[in-house]
Amino acid sequence: TLICTFYRIAVPRTRILATGGASHNKKILQVLSDVFNAPVFTIDTANSACLGSAYRAIHGLVAERNVSLADVVKLAPEPRLAVTPTPGAEEV
């Protein structure tokens, strides 16, 4: 399972937070980073797929009040950089 939380899609400063079991697979994360030309971060938390899904659910509940996803996850464990895009990948 791999759940990705996208902070800013298709704009500069895009950041991907990958959670779940497959987020431990560096090759999968590298493909994700290269496809979206964005750094991929992970968190060292048990049941991180559930946690990522819960953040998205909370964000859905409060989105009509203009609460950003960044505000929802501000108390979350600090993500760590897992991979960055391969130079030249965006050209492929």
Side-chain angles (χ1 to χ4, degrees), residues 19-86:
T19 62
S23 68
H24 297 285
N25 185 319
K26 291 278 191 188
K27 291 181 181 181
I28 291 174
L29 297 179
Q30 189 63 60
V31 169
L32 188 62
S33 181
D34 291 347
V35 166
F36 288 98
N37 193 33
V40 176
F41 292 79
T42 60
I43 53 175
D44 291 325
T45 300
N47 300 314
S48 63
C50 294
L51 183 60
S53 297
Y55 288 139
R56 293 303 294 178
I58 292 168
H59 182 238
L61 290 172
V62 298
E64 65 185 25
R65 291 183 272 164
N66 294 322
V67 176
S68 71
L69 180 60
D71 287 336
V72 171
V73 300
K74 68 183 172 188
L75 297 177
E78 188 65 30
R80 65 174 176 76
L81 180 63
V83 295
T84 58
T86 303

